[in-house]
Amino acid sequence: MHAARVRASLRGWGGVGAMAVLCALALAFVLLLPCTQRAPHDGRPAGQRVATGTEARADNCNPSEAQNQTLSPSGADGPAIDAIKARTGAKRKLIVGVDQNSYHWGYRNPNTQGAELEGFDIDLVHRIAQDILGDPEAVQFKAIPTSQRIPAIQDGRVDMVVRTMTINCERLSQVAFSAPYFKTGQQVLAPKSSSITGYNATLAHKKVCTAAGSTAYTKLDADRKAGTLPASTDISTTVPNQLDCLVRLQLGEVDAVVTDGALAASQAAQDPTVELKGGAFTTEYYGVAMKKDASDLVRRVNRILVGYRASGWQASYDQWLSATLGKDSSASKPPAPQYLRTS
């Protein structure tokens, strides 16, 4: 993305630091946004397979196959969907946990009336609401920090979370996931002038920022204990939201940020003085997270995703992410799903 365009898109924020402050003040706000796309058929595209297994459990989860621990698509209603549809009047909405400060994923655009929520994840939320409630605007957004994604689901504060949430075995023991809708990997973000070259020995004696409760922190902690990350790397700085890490980096309080490459690329687009260092050192998949017992909702979201991959996903990617991730990168196509065959 050209620097001039980035500056224009951030006009009114007073810089990224001010945007973080605004996001914090707006944390409790909710917002309804329009959507124009309707989910089409639920047929299976080529390459889609059904994996043999039982419903996702922490004790039989293969970390490299965690993204496949989901139920096959179905359009049938059940208890979870019935409860959503039973809401009346102004409360008849899909309640979704999202981010509001991840640029081009889920963020408040200051150049729109009311600083509306926009981004790749937000487009998907509207598609889900369109299918379940017949109205893309029937959404109550709840902005939640990274560390609160799972508690918000378990406590029933939200019906689902659509917030760049990586599917992994530990989380599968706490919540259910849809099939993956995006593929990414962890990367290092640092100032262009930094001596850091990637996820390697150049992180020795460096202070690294991650979001609390993120897969990035889990990876760094495990690698440092295993000796594959320098023991002198300081990973003690954790923050509620990824944008806070960028602010810490700008203030010189940390030397680098580790986060999903898709998010890191968007952060680099907000600040031309930083860049991605080295390639991705993990492979991760984002999924829609829901309560573990909401099987009918999981199956419905998977059916919606079948149609969304065929029509809608690519248009959203081109609008929000192609400028930072590339039109022909490995992230530029939706991942092909696999499903469990339950007995």
Side-chain angles (χ1 to χ4, degrees):
M1 180 178 292
H2 296 297
R5 183 179 175 187
V6 172
R7 287 192 297 271
S9 67
L10 297 179
R11 189 176 296 118
W13 287 98
V16 175
M19 183 166 69
V21 174
L22 179 57
C23 290
L25 293 174
L27 189 61
F29 289 5
V30 295
L31 180 65
L32 296 179
L33 294 178
C35 178
T36 58
Q37 296 176 328
R38 181 177 296 273
H41 67 278
D42 61 349
R44 292 183 180 178
Q48 187 170 299
R49 303 181 297 280
V50 176
T52 301
T54 57
E55 194 162 354
R57 290 168 52 96
D59 56 3
N60 67 2
C61 179
N62 180 342
S64 65
E65 296 293 326
Q67 72 277 7
N68 302 326
Q69 302 293 300
T70 191
L71 301 171
S72 59
S74 172
D77 288 359
I81 295 176
D82 287 343
I84 294 170
K85 290 184 174 181
R87 294 167 186 158
T88 59
K91 293 184 178 181
R92 193 174 188 272
K93 297 174 183 176
L94 185 69
I95 305 172
V96 186
V98 297
D99 199 353
Q100 62 176 7
N101 59 18
S102 287
Y103 191 50
H104 283 177
W105 284 90
Y107 78 112
R108 292 190 179 277
N109 186 345
N111 298 314
T112 60
Q113 185 176 3
E116 293 183 346
L117 278 169
E118 294 182 344
F120 189 80
D121 279 345
I122 305 304
D123 284 355
L124 176 55
V125 172
H126 287 306
R127 184 64 165 260
I128 296 171
Q130 172 69 61
D131 185 278
I132 294 176
L133 294 175
D135 181 0
E137 297 185 11
V139 182
Q140 179 184 351
F141 287 107
K142 288 193 174 182
I144 52 176
T146 304
S147 61
Q148 289 299 306
R149 291 177 298 188
I150 289 176
I153 295 169
Q154 294 177 324
D155 296 346
R157 284 177 276 159
V158 298
D159 299 317
M160 61 184 64
V161 167
V162 184
R163 192 188 182 283
T164 58
M165 190 168 178
T166 297
I167 305 167
N168 63 31
C169 291
E170 180 181 1
R171 290 172 179 171
L172 281 165
S173 70
Q174 301 170 295
V175 297
F177 278 96
S178 71
Y181 65 87
F182 198 84
K183 180 181 178 180
T184 185
Q186 296 293 322
Q187 284 188 264
V188 177
L189 183 74
K192 290 180 178 179
S193 59
S194 173
S195 60
I196 295 170
T197 60
Y199 193 70
N200 52 38
T202 61
L203 289 174
H205 305 290
K206 302 295 185 182
K207 183 175 287 189
V208 179
C209 182
T210 58
S214 67
T215 52
Y217 178 81
T218 301
K219 173 67 173 172
L220 266 66
D221 184 50
D223 285 354
R224 197 174 64 167
K225 290 176 179 176
T228 53
L229 181 70
S232 62
T233 305
D234 184 348
I235 63 172
S236 63
T237 302
T238 59
V239 296
N241 292 296
Q242 278 298 333
L243 184 64
D244 299 331
C245 275
L246 179 59
V247 174
R248 296 288 184 94
L249 188 63
Q250 291 169 325
L251 293 174
E253 296 178 3
V254 297
D255 302 299
V257 174
V258 172
T259 185
D260 305 343
L263 293 175
S266 293
Q267 291 184 6
Q270 291 174 273
D271 186 345
T273 69
V274 302
E275 65 182 3
L276 295 174
K277 300 284 189 174
F281 54 91
T282 66
T283 299
E284 302 187 15
Y285 296 86
Y286 295 156
V288 178
M290 293 153 277
K291 275 191 173 182
K292 282 187 68 66
D293 61 356
S295 298
D296 60 311
L297 187 58
V298 174
R299 291 182 184 275
R300 175 64 69 85
V301 171
N302 282 341
R303 193 201 71 166
I304 294 166
L305 285 172
V306 170
Y308 195 56
R309 292 184 198 98
S311 176
W313 190 99
Q314 195 65 56
S316 184
Y317 178 90
D318 290 344
Q319 178 179 1
W320 300 114
L321 305 178
S322 63
T324 53
L325 297 178
K327 290 185 177 294
D328 300 311
S329 70
S330 60
S332 64
K333 301 297 178 184
Q338 296 187 47
Y339 306 105
L340 292 170
R341 182 179 293 116
T342 57
S343 55

